[in-house]
Short mmCIF file of all heavy atoms in Angstrom, two decimals:
data_model
loop_
_atom_site.label_atom_id
_atom_site.label_comp_id
_atom_site.label_asym_id
_atom_site.label_seq_id
_atom_site.Cartn_x
_atom_site.Cartn_y
_atom_site.Cartn_z
N ALA A 898 0.82 -1.19 0.00
CA ALA A 898 0.00 -0.03 0.04
C ALA A 898 0.80 1.26 -0.02
O ALA A 898 0.31 2.36 0.03
CB ALA A 898 -0.87 0.02 1.20
N SER A 899 2.16 1.11 -0.09
CA SER A 899 3.06 2.21 0.00
C SER A 899 3.62 2.60 -1.34
O SER A 899 3.97 1.79 -2.15
CB SER A 899 4.22 1.93 0.92
OG SER A 899 3.74 1.59 2.18
N ALA A 900 3.68 3.93 -1.53
CA ALA A 900 4.36 4.48 -2.75
C ALA A 900 5.83 4.41 -2.39
O ALA A 900 6.25 4.84 -1.29
CB ALA A 900 3.97 5.85 -3.10
N MET A 901 6.66 3.89 -3.30
CA MET A 901 8.12 3.78 -3.05
C MET A 901 8.74 4.71 -4.02
O MET A 901 8.55 4.70 -5.22
CB MET A 901 8.54 2.30 -3.22
CG MET A 901 7.89 1.38 -2.26
SD MET A 901 8.13 1.76 -0.52
CE MET A 901 9.94 1.54 -0.40
N ARG A 902 9.77 5.40 -3.51
CA ARG A 902 10.50 6.39 -4.38
C ARG A 902 12.02 6.29 -4.10
O ARG A 902 12.48 5.87 -3.02
CB ARG A 902 10.01 7.77 -4.05
CG ARG A 902 8.54 8.04 -4.41
CD ARG A 902 8.15 9.49 -4.18
NE ARG A 902 6.76 9.70 -4.69
CZ ARG A 902 5.72 9.60 -3.95
NH1 ARG A 902 5.81 9.18 -2.66
NH2 ARG A 902 4.49 9.83 -4.48
N TRP A 903 12.79 6.67 -5.12
CA TRP A 903 14.20 6.84 -5.00
C TRP A 903 14.45 8.35 -5.22
O TRP A 903 13.99 8.94 -6.23
CB TRP A 903 14.96 6.02 -6.01
CG TRP A 903 15.04 4.60 -5.68
CD1 TRP A 903 14.18 3.58 -6.24
CD2 TRP A 903 15.95 3.91 -4.77
NE1 TRP A 903 14.61 2.40 -5.68
CE2 TRP A 903 15.63 2.57 -4.82
CE3 TRP A 903 16.95 4.40 -4.00
CZ2 TRP A 903 16.33 1.63 -4.06
CZ3 TRP A 903 17.66 3.47 -3.24
CH2 TRP A 903 17.41 2.08 -3.27
N TYR A 904 15.23 8.90 -4.34
CA TYR A 904 15.76 10.28 -4.42
C TYR A 904 17.22 10.19 -4.49
O TYR A 904 17.84 9.17 -4.13
CB TYR A 904 15.30 11.14 -3.23
CG TYR A 904 13.91 11.48 -3.14
CD1 TYR A 904 12.87 10.54 -2.70
CD2 TYR A 904 13.46 12.77 -3.42
CE1 TYR A 904 11.65 10.97 -2.63
CE2 TYR A 904 12.15 13.13 -3.31
CZ TYR A 904 11.20 12.27 -2.91
OH TYR A 904 9.86 12.63 -2.83
N ARG A 905 17.88 11.28 -4.87
CA ARG A 905 19.29 11.43 -4.78
C ARG A 905 19.68 12.85 -4.43
O ARG A 905 18.96 13.78 -4.69
CB ARG A 905 19.97 11.01 -6.12
CG ARG A 905 19.71 11.99 -7.29
CD ARG A 905 20.32 11.38 -8.57
NE ARG A 905 20.08 12.21 -9.70
CZ ARG A 905 20.44 11.90 -10.97
NH1 ARG A 905 20.99 10.69 -11.20
NH2 ARG A 905 20.17 12.71 -11.92
N GLN A 906 20.87 12.92 -3.84
CA GLN A 906 21.35 14.26 -3.40
C GLN A 906 22.87 14.28 -3.72
O GLN A 906 23.64 13.57 -3.09
CB GLN A 906 21.13 14.56 -1.99
CG GLN A 906 21.39 15.97 -1.58
CD GLN A 906 20.87 16.34 -0.22
OE1 GLN A 906 20.51 15.51 0.60
NE2 GLN A 906 20.84 17.63 0.03
N ALA A 907 23.21 15.19 -4.64
CA ALA A 907 24.65 15.38 -5.00
C ALA A 907 25.21 16.44 -4.07
O ALA A 907 24.43 17.32 -3.48
CB ALA A 907 24.76 15.83 -6.45
N PRO A 908 26.50 16.50 -3.84
CA PRO A 908 27.17 17.54 -2.96
C PRO A 908 26.77 18.88 -3.44
O PRO A 908 26.88 19.19 -4.56
CB PRO A 908 28.62 17.22 -3.15
CG PRO A 908 28.75 15.84 -3.55
CD PRO A 908 27.47 15.57 -4.37
N GLY A 909 26.26 19.70 -2.44
CA GLY A 909 25.94 21.06 -2.74
C GLY A 909 24.59 21.28 -3.45
O GLY A 909 24.30 22.45 -3.87
N LYS A 910 23.90 20.23 -3.67
CA LYS A 910 22.60 20.36 -4.43
C LYS A 910 21.46 19.82 -3.54
O LYS A 910 21.65 19.15 -2.58
CB LYS A 910 22.64 19.52 -5.67
CG LYS A 910 23.64 20.11 -6.72
CD LYS A 910 23.56 19.34 -8.04
CE LYS A 910 24.51 19.92 -9.06
NZ LYS A 910 24.35 19.29 -10.40
N GLN A 911 20.24 20.24 -3.96
CA GLN A 911 19.04 19.86 -3.24
C GLN A 911 18.73 18.37 -3.54
O GLN A 911 19.11 17.84 -4.62
CB GLN A 911 17.84 20.69 -3.59
CG GLN A 911 17.93 22.07 -3.00
CD GLN A 911 16.61 22.87 -3.26
OE1 GLN A 911 15.95 22.63 -4.29
NE2 GLN A 911 16.29 23.76 -2.30
N ARG A 912 18.07 17.70 -2.67
CA ARG A 912 17.66 16.34 -2.96
C ARG A 912 16.57 16.33 -4.05
O ARG A 912 15.70 17.22 -4.03
CB ARG A 912 17.00 15.74 -1.67
CG ARG A 912 16.77 14.23 -1.77
CD ARG A 912 16.45 13.65 -0.40
NE ARG A 912 17.54 13.81 0.54
CZ ARG A 912 17.54 13.26 1.75
NH1 ARG A 912 16.50 12.46 2.16
NH2 ARG A 912 18.49 13.39 2.58
N GLU A 913 16.69 15.43 -4.97
CA GLU A 913 15.85 15.41 -6.14
C GLU A 913 15.17 14.06 -6.29
O GLU A 913 15.82 12.98 -5.98
CB GLU A 913 16.45 15.77 -7.36
CG GLU A 913 17.60 14.85 -7.84
CD GLU A 913 18.11 15.14 -9.28
OE1 GLU A 913 17.40 15.88 -10.04
OE2 GLU A 913 19.16 14.68 -9.60
N LEU A 914 13.95 14.05 -6.75
CA LEU A 914 13.25 12.78 -6.96
C LEU A 914 13.71 12.13 -8.26
O LEU A 914 13.81 12.80 -9.30
CB LEU A 914 11.70 13.06 -7.09
CG LEU A 914 10.80 11.90 -7.39
CD1 LEU A 914 10.92 10.80 -6.35
CD2 LEU A 914 9.37 12.33 -7.56
N VAL A 915 14.07 10.87 -8.20
CA VAL A 915 14.57 10.17 -9.36
C VAL A 915 13.47 9.30 -9.95
O VAL A 915 13.32 9.30 -11.20
CB VAL A 915 15.82 9.32 -8.95
CG1 VAL A 915 16.24 8.45 -10.08
CG2 VAL A 915 16.88 10.19 -8.46
N ALA A 916 12.83 8.47 -9.13
CA ALA A 916 11.85 7.52 -9.66
C ALA A 916 10.74 7.16 -8.62
O ALA A 916 11.10 7.20 -7.46
CB ALA A 916 12.55 6.27 -10.11
N THR A 917 9.56 6.85 -9.11
CA THR A 917 8.47 6.46 -8.20
C THR A 917 7.83 5.18 -8.70
O THR A 917 7.59 5.04 -9.95
CB THR A 917 7.46 7.63 -8.25
OG1 THR A 917 8.04 8.84 -7.76
CG2 THR A 917 6.26 7.27 -7.34
N SER A 918 7.38 4.36 -7.73
CA SER A 918 6.63 3.21 -8.02
C SER A 918 5.39 3.36 -7.14
O SER A 918 5.43 3.27 -5.91
CB SER A 918 7.28 1.92 -7.74
OG SER A 918 6.46 0.84 -7.83
N SER A 919 4.20 3.48 -7.77
CA SER A 919 2.99 3.67 -7.01
C SER A 919 1.79 3.23 -7.83
O SER A 919 1.60 3.67 -8.97
CB SER A 919 2.84 5.15 -6.61
OG SER A 919 1.69 5.43 -5.93
N GLY A 920 0.89 2.53 -7.19
CA GLY A 920 -0.34 2.12 -7.85
C GLY A 920 -0.15 1.38 -9.17
O GLY A 920 -0.96 1.51 -10.07
N GLY A 921 0.86 0.65 -9.18
CA GLY A 921 1.17 -0.15 -10.47
C GLY A 921 1.84 0.66 -11.53
O GLY A 921 2.01 0.21 -12.57
N ARG A 922 2.08 1.95 -11.23
CA ARG A 922 2.70 2.82 -12.27
C ARG A 922 4.11 3.26 -11.81
O ARG A 922 4.42 3.23 -10.63
CB ARG A 922 1.86 4.03 -12.52
CG ARG A 922 0.44 3.61 -13.12
CD ARG A 922 -0.34 4.81 -13.43
NE ARG A 922 -1.63 4.49 -14.08
CZ ARG A 922 -2.48 5.41 -14.49
NH1 ARG A 922 -2.11 6.75 -14.47
NH2 ARG A 922 -3.65 5.03 -15.00
N THR A 923 4.88 3.72 -12.81
CA THR A 923 6.18 4.21 -12.54
C THR A 923 6.35 5.55 -13.16
O THR A 923 5.76 5.78 -14.20
CB THR A 923 7.32 3.18 -13.06
OG1 THR A 923 7.13 3.02 -14.42
CG2 THR A 923 7.27 1.86 -12.34
N TYR A 924 7.22 6.38 -12.56
CA TYR A 924 7.48 7.66 -13.03
C TYR A 924 8.99 7.95 -12.88
O TYR A 924 9.59 7.51 -11.88
CB TYR A 924 6.71 8.77 -12.25
CG TYR A 924 5.20 8.41 -12.17
CD1 TYR A 924 4.69 7.66 -11.15
CD2 TYR A 924 4.37 8.96 -13.10
CE1 TYR A 924 3.34 7.42 -11.11
CE2 TYR A 924 3.01 8.75 -13.08
CZ TYR A 924 2.50 7.89 -12.08
OH TYR A 924 1.10 7.66 -12.05
N TYR A 925 9.51 8.77 -13.80
CA TYR A 925 10.93 9.01 -13.76
C TYR A 925 11.25 10.48 -14.01
O TYR A 925 10.50 11.16 -14.72
CB TYR A 925 11.68 8.22 -14.84
CG TYR A 925 11.50 6.73 -14.70
CD1 TYR A 925 10.45 6.01 -15.30
CD2 TYR A 925 12.36 5.98 -13.87
CE1 TYR A 925 10.34 4.68 -15.17
CE2 TYR A 925 12.23 4.66 -13.64
CZ TYR A 925 11.26 3.96 -14.34
OH TYR A 925 11.07 2.63 -14.17
N ALA A 926 12.30 10.93 -13.39
CA ALA A 926 12.86 12.25 -13.72
C ALA A 926 13.34 12.23 -15.19
O ALA A 926 13.82 11.17 -15.66
CB ALA A 926 14.00 12.63 -12.76
N ASP A 927 13.26 13.34 -15.85
CA ASP A 927 13.63 13.45 -17.21
C ASP A 927 15.13 13.02 -17.37
O ASP A 927 15.56 12.45 -18.39
CB ASP A 927 13.47 14.83 -17.86
CG ASP A 927 11.99 15.12 -18.03
OD1 ASP A 927 11.11 14.21 -18.07
OD2 ASP A 927 11.63 16.30 -18.15
N SER A 928 15.99 13.39 -16.39
CA SER A 928 17.40 13.18 -16.47
C SER A 928 17.72 11.64 -16.43
O SER A 928 18.89 11.32 -16.81
CB SER A 928 18.06 13.83 -15.28
OG SER A 928 17.60 13.38 -14.08
N VAL A 929 16.84 10.77 -16.08
CA VAL A 929 17.15 9.32 -15.99
C VAL A 929 16.27 8.51 -16.83
O VAL A 929 16.50 7.31 -16.96
CB VAL A 929 17.09 8.84 -14.47
CG1 VAL A 929 17.96 9.70 -13.63
CG2 VAL A 929 15.64 8.78 -14.03
N LYS A 930 15.24 9.08 -17.50
CA LYS A 930 14.34 8.29 -18.39
C LYS A 930 15.15 7.52 -19.41
O LYS A 930 16.05 8.04 -20.06
CB LYS A 930 13.41 9.26 -19.07
CG LYS A 930 12.15 9.57 -18.22
CD LYS A 930 11.21 10.45 -18.96
CE LYS A 930 10.04 10.86 -18.11
NZ LYS A 930 9.11 11.81 -18.78
N GLY A 931 14.79 6.28 -19.63
CA GLY A 931 15.44 5.44 -20.53
C GLY A 931 16.76 4.77 -20.05
O GLY A 931 17.31 3.89 -20.69
N ARG A 932 17.22 5.24 -18.91
CA ARG A 932 18.44 4.69 -18.33
C ARG A 932 18.20 3.91 -16.98
O ARG A 932 18.90 2.95 -16.74
CB ARG A 932 19.49 5.76 -18.12
CG ARG A 932 19.89 6.54 -19.30
CD ARG A 932 21.09 7.42 -19.06
NE ARG A 932 20.76 8.46 -18.08
CZ ARG A 932 21.43 8.64 -16.98
NH1 ARG A 932 22.44 7.91 -16.62
NH2 ARG A 932 21.11 9.62 -16.11
N PHE A 933 17.29 4.40 -16.18
CA PHE A 933 16.98 3.86 -14.92
C PHE A 933 15.63 3.21 -14.93
O PHE A 933 14.71 3.60 -15.57
CB PHE A 933 16.91 4.94 -13.77
CG PHE A 933 18.28 5.58 -13.44
CD1 PHE A 933 19.39 5.39 -14.26
CD2 PHE A 933 18.35 6.37 -12.34
CE1 PHE A 933 20.57 5.90 -13.92
CE2 PHE A 933 19.59 6.99 -11.99
CZ PHE A 933 20.69 6.74 -12.76
N THR A 934 15.52 2.12 -14.13
CA THR A 934 14.27 1.41 -14.02
C THR A 934 14.01 1.12 -12.51
O THR A 934 14.85 0.49 -11.93
CB THR A 934 14.24 0.10 -14.79
OG1 THR A 934 14.52 0.35 -16.22
CG2 THR A 934 12.93 -0.59 -14.73
N ILE A 935 12.76 1.53 -12.15
CA ILE A 935 12.38 1.14 -10.79
C ILE A 935 11.42 -0.01 -10.74
O ILE A 935 10.66 -0.15 -11.72
CB ILE A 935 11.68 2.36 -10.05
CG1 ILE A 935 11.45 2.08 -8.54
CG2 ILE A 935 10.44 2.77 -10.74
CD1 ILE A 935 10.93 3.29 -7.77
N SER A 936 11.67 -0.92 -9.88
CA SER A 936 10.79 -2.18 -9.76
C SER A 936 10.66 -2.51 -8.38
O SER A 936 11.41 -2.07 -7.46
CB SER A 936 11.32 -3.29 -10.59
OG SER A 936 12.63 -3.64 -10.04
N ARG A 937 9.72 -3.36 -8.03
CA ARG A 937 9.41 -3.76 -6.67
C ARG A 937 9.05 -5.25 -6.57
O ARG A 937 8.43 -5.78 -7.49
CB ARG A 937 8.35 -2.92 -6.00
CG ARG A 937 7.04 -2.91 -6.68
CD ARG A 937 6.22 -1.70 -6.27
NE ARG A 937 5.82 -1.80 -4.84
CZ ARG A 937 5.34 -0.76 -4.15
NH1 ARG A 937 5.14 0.43 -4.77
NH2 ARG A 937 4.98 -0.84 -2.90
N ASP A 938 9.45 -5.84 -5.58
CA ASP A 938 9.07 -7.26 -5.27
C ASP A 938 8.28 -7.20 -3.95
O ASP A 938 8.89 -7.14 -2.84
CB ASP A 938 10.37 -8.14 -5.15
CG ASP A 938 10.02 -9.54 -4.86
OD1 ASP A 938 8.96 -9.91 -4.36
OD2 ASP A 938 10.91 -10.40 -5.28
N ASN A 939 6.97 -7.27 -4.07
CA ASN A 939 6.08 -7.17 -2.93
C ASN A 939 6.30 -8.29 -1.93
O ASN A 939 6.13 -8.09 -0.68
CB ASN A 939 4.68 -7.01 -3.34
CG ASN A 939 4.34 -5.69 -4.02
OD1 ASN A 939 5.01 -4.71 -3.70
ND2 ASN A 939 3.32 -5.67 -4.83
N ALA A 940 6.58 -9.43 -2.47
CA ALA A 940 6.79 -10.62 -1.54
C ALA A 940 8.06 -10.38 -0.64
O ALA A 940 8.02 -10.79 0.53
CB ALA A 940 6.91 -11.87 -2.37
N LYS A 941 9.02 -9.75 -1.20
CA LYS A 941 10.25 -9.50 -0.47
C LYS A 941 10.25 -8.16 0.22
O LYS A 941 11.26 -7.75 0.89
CB LYS A 941 11.48 -9.63 -1.38
CG LYS A 941 11.77 -11.00 -1.90
CD LYS A 941 12.96 -11.05 -2.75
CE LYS A 941 13.23 -12.48 -3.29
NZ LYS A 941 14.45 -12.52 -4.20
N LYS A 942 9.26 -7.35 -0.06
CA LYS A 942 9.11 -5.98 0.45
C LYS A 942 10.39 -5.17 0.09
O LYS A 942 11.02 -4.46 0.94
CB LYS A 942 8.94 -5.95 1.96
CG LYS A 942 7.58 -6.52 2.42
CD LYS A 942 7.37 -6.34 3.91
CE LYS A 942 6.03 -6.83 4.34
NZ LYS A 942 5.78 -6.59 5.81
N THR A 943 10.74 -5.24 -1.11
CA THR A 943 11.93 -4.66 -1.60
C THR A 943 11.70 -3.87 -2.92
O THR A 943 11.03 -4.36 -3.79
CB THR A 943 13.08 -5.71 -1.83
OG1 THR A 943 13.39 -6.40 -0.58
CG2 THR A 943 14.37 -5.09 -2.35
N VAL A 944 12.30 -2.71 -3.00
CA VAL A 944 12.19 -1.89 -4.22
C VAL A 944 13.65 -1.82 -4.76
O VAL A 944 14.60 -1.71 -4.00
CB VAL A 944 11.58 -0.53 -3.96
CG1 VAL A 944 12.42 0.30 -2.96
CG2 VAL A 944 11.36 0.23 -5.25
#
C-alpha cells in the first residue's frame, strides 16, 4: 500500500526525486528516463 521512491542528493545540491513506483505505475525524472528502471518485489518488500 506504500508508494516507493528513490531520491538522490549530490554535494551542494538539493535532494531530487529520481523515480516512483505507485499504484502499479512508474514515473521518472527526465534526467534518468530510458536509463533507470524502478521495480518492486512485494513478496520481499523490496524496491
Side-chain angles (χ1 to χ4, degrees):
S899 300
M901 300 300 298
R902 297 183 173 91
W903 286 98
Y904 287 77
R905 68 185 180 187
Q906 188 166 19
K910 295 188 176 181
Q911 288 189 329
R912 191 171 295 190
E913 64 170 343
L914 177 61
V915 175
T917 299
S918 171
S919 177
R922 298 185 177 184
T923 57
Y924 306 89
Y925 299 94
D927 287 343
S928 58
V929 306
K930 276 181 185 176
R932 300 188 298 121
F933 290 12
T934 303
I935 187 171
S936 62
R937 59 197 294 166
D938 185 331
N939 289 333
K941 294 182 178 179
K942 294 188 177 182
T943 300
V944 62

